Amino acid sequence: MDNISILDKIINNQKAEEIARLNAVEIVNNLLGELADREKDVLIRRFGLHGLGKETLEKVGQAHKLTRERIRQIEVSGIKKLRQLEKLEGYVNILKKVTSQLLEEHGGLMERQYLLNSLAKFSLNGDGRGGNEELIHKSHLDFLISKLLPEEFEEIGDSELFLDFYKLKYQTLDHLEELSRELVEKIESLKKIFKTEELINLSVKLESYNKNLDKFNIPYSLDISRILDNNLVEEKIDVINSHKVLYSILRALRRVEQNKFGDWGIYDWREIKPKTINDKIYLILKNHGKPMHFAEIADRINQTGFDGKIANAATVHNELILDEKYVLVGRGLYGLKDWGYKEGTVADVIKDVLAEAGKPLTREEIIDKVLGKRLVKKTTIVLALMNKEMFEKAGGKYQLAGSLKS
């Protein structure tokens, strides 16, 4: 079975074949088949099971020529009928097992979208398909867990610490909340961004973690590597797999967020949530690690899709010219001043190189050092060395003009 071979990469135990049968859309379709046509249509529209988003009571009422209150009554009645179905347990049994195992391995708590994304991968048989099909599976899973499995799972939407999340019904959160508060305080005091593994390593050193060590060290059997598949971020999956509880807390924390390049920090820091085109330019260059052409920077901003706003090359170029933290290092190429690049002409860079050396240098030595600061052709450096007002040659080496007299 192809589906099982794919899931074997996700699940490293004998439950793969059982979980391969999980299909949220099929479960809901079977359940809705037990209802009258109007009840079925009301639930489909109200919970966005058609993939078109959730519809309001008023909109569904207009479609059926009924009042909002009557639609609400039909919705409540339909869900009650589904909960009382004798066949319900048979339909949702696998979903209950998979959801319980995922939550248990994540400490009993998972941010709502993280849980639904994870379950959708299973429901799609490990396929990385995104788009509308994945959204449909997620809406079906959300409906099943929130409306038909209230005895097993609880949805929390009013936490000061966490974004909307699902938890095991009887899971206590005290130790998770204690660690969360200590971790956020630590990040704020350090004022720096972290990679995932760095933040996990920081977490295991916290007092609240070591005080509740037995509650954080939970054996795991689910490999979530394909769930975390991301073209921009390369995570250390082995670290996350063995610390799912801590990773789940990071995903759920309201004040902590991960940016497009995998760095974590306080949600409103500019490196986490860039607000201006300049913020985006800085992030693109910093994560690229070497100079880029201004047009390439604009393209990369648009590919990364920070906030959906389109960046054009002219605007990016203007920002690069006006801000001192960027340095022109070649024809249209800009780097960060933090990398050691300096403003000025190639001759100015040669002048700095000779001054820093404090002694005459050969042409090859000068070329090597200048290329570390500027992306120019070797012939450009050679031509600049011919400026006799700035440089003079003595004993086969170059020095600043006037050095011999002094």
Side-chain angles (χ1 to χ4, degrees):
M1 292 175 64
D2 291 342
N3 289 344
I4 294 177
S5 64
I6 294 170
L7 278 167
D8 278 341
K9 297 174 183 175
I10 301 176
I11 307 160
N12 57 11
N13 65 21
Q14 70 276 16
K15 294 181 181 178
E17 187 172 354
E18 182 183 50
I19 295 176
R21 298 200 301 275
L22 173 62
N23 186 317
V25 173
E26 189 176 299
I27 294 171
V28 172
N29 287 341
N30 285 331
L31 288 168
L32 294 183
E34 304 286 339
L35 299 177
D37 287 346
R38 188 167 64 179
E39 290 174 318
K40 178 180 174 181
D41 188 67
V42 166
L43 292 184
I44 288 173
R45 289 171 181 269
R46 287 288 292 143
F47 294 97
L49 303 177
H50 46 21
L52 303 175
K54 295 180 179 180
E55 296 183 26
T56 63
L57 288 169
E58 185 171 358
K59 188 173 180 182
V60 181
Q62 289 170 352
H64 286 272
K65 296 183 170 48
L66 294 171
T67 65
R68 288 182 297 176
E69 176 57 19
R70 181 61 189 133
I71 294 299
R72 190 192 66 77
Q73 292 170 354
I74 294 171
E75 177 184 322
V76 171
S77 170
I79 291 172
K80 185 177 179 183
K81 284 182 184 177
L82 293 179
R83 286 182 184 176
Q84 292 175 340
L85 280 176
E86 289 184 5
K87 300 176 183 176
L88 178 62
E89 181 61 25
Y91 285 132
V92 300
N93 186 41
I94 293 175
L95 174 63
K96 279 169 58 176
K97 287 182 180 177
V98 177
T99 306
S100 293
Q101 187 171 352
L102 262 175
L103 282 167
E104 285 169 6
E105 292 196 11
H106 285 79
L109 174 155
M110 288 179 77
E111 187 267 329
R112 182 169 169 272
Q113 287 303 321
Y114 178 39
L115 175 64
L116 296 178
N117 287 341
S118 302
L119 288 171
K121 293 286 185 185
F122 293 119
S123 188
L124 287 161
N125 287 319
D127 195 322
R129 291 171 290 180
N132 200 48
E133 190 171 2
E134 186 170 333
L135 288 176
I136 289 174
H137 276 257
K138 285 165 66 176
S139 65
H140 284 66
L141 288 160
D142 200 19
F143 170 72
L144 289 166
I145 297 171
S146 64
K147 299 302 172 186
L148 302 188
L149 299 173
E151 299 303 318
E152 291 80 11
F153 312 113
E154 185 177 4
E155 184 180 9
I156 307 291
D158 59 354
S159 169
E160 288 184 3
L161 270 176
F162 303 123
L163 300 167
D164 294 358
F165 65 92
Y166 279 108
K167 64 184 279 292
L168 291 169
K169 182 79 173 183
Y170 301 105
Q171 175 69 47
T172 58
L173 302 180
D174 294 351
H175 63 293
L176 301 177
E177 291 173 343
E178 184 181 0
L179 183 133
S180 297
R181 289 192 179 90
E182 188 179 359
L183 180 58
V184 171
E185 189 176 319
K186 192 73 175 176
I187 296 171
E188 287 176 328
S189 68
L190 293 172
K191 296 183 178 6
K192 59 170 285 191
I193 57 174
F194 297 85
K195 293 296 182 189
T196 301
E197 64 272 20
E198 294 174 332
L199 210 44
I200 288 175
N201 289 335
L202 177 68
S203 300
V204 301
K205 295 174 183 171
L206 297 178
E207 182 181 347
S208 52
Y209 177 87
N210 289 287
K211 190 169 73 177
N212 299 289
L213 203 55
D214 57 322
K215 296 178 182 175
F216 289 107
N217 284 335
I218 298 174
Y220 74 91
S221 58
L222 294 177
D223 175 2
I224 60 173
S225 56
R226 288 179 64 86
I227 292 172
L228 300 177
D229 191 18
N230 183 321
N231 290 333
L232 289 175
V233 181
E234 188 173 341
E235 299 277 26
K236 291 193 174 178
I237 298 299
D238 55 333
V239 175
I240 295 175
N241 267 330
S242 56
H243 293 90
K244 287 200 190 81
V245 182
L246 296 176
Y247 184 69
S248 190
I249 288 175
L250 295 181
R251 295 291 294 253
L253 279 172
R254 192 175 286 281
R255 284 189 55 73
V256 175
E257 199 167 305
Q258 187 177 33
N259 70 13
K260 296 284 186 181
F261 301 101
D263 296 320
W264 295 87
I266 300 302
Y267 76 102
D268 58 356
W269 286 356
R270 287 180 178 268
E271 282 203 51
I272 300 302
K273 190 171 287 183
K275 296 177 176 63
T276 65
I277 187 72
N278 199 311
D279 295 338
K280 296 170 190 172
I281 292 170
Y282 178 76
L283 272 180
I284 292 292
L285 274 173
K286 181 182 176 184
N287 284 281
H288 189 63
K290 58 185 180 181
M292 296 175 73
H293 192 276
F294 65 87
E296 186 185 3
I297 294 174
D299 287 343
R300 195 66 63 84
I301 289 173
N302 295 329
Q303 290 165 12
T304 304
F306 290 103
D307 52 13
K309 295 180 181 176
I310 301 298
N312 65 66
T315 304
V316 169
H317 199 195
N318 285 340
E319 291 290 334
L320 289 163
I321 292 170
L322 295 172
D323 196 314
E324 290 184 351
K325 65 175 173 282
Y326 308 116
V327 180
L328 179 68
V329 298
R331 190 181 295 271
L333 289 169
Y334 287 84
L336 292 177
K337 197 171 187 178
D338 292 348
W339 293 342
Y341 292 116
K342 292 182 178 178
E343 299 281 359
T345 64
V346 172
D348 292 331
V349 176
I350 296 173
K351 190 175 173 184
D352 288 343
V353 164
L354 287 169
E356 288 168 6
K359 62 179 183 179
L361 297 173
T362 65
R363 188 177 74 171
E364 287 67 30
E365 288 172 332
I366 291 172
I367 288 173
D368 284 346
K369 289 181 183 296
V370 171
L371 290 179
K373 298 175 183 293
R374 282 295 171 88
L375 301 181
V376 293
K377 293 180 179 177
K378 290 182 180 178
T379 51
T380 304
I381 302 170
V382 173
L383 282 172
L385 279 170
M386 294 172 69
N387 185 337
K388 294 183 178 177
E389 292 183 0
M390 297 182 72
F391 312 111
E392 60 189 11
K393 198 171 180 182
K397 295 185 177 182
Y398 288 88
Q399 60 188 11
L400 293 173
S403 297
L404 287 173
K405 295 176 184 174
S406 63

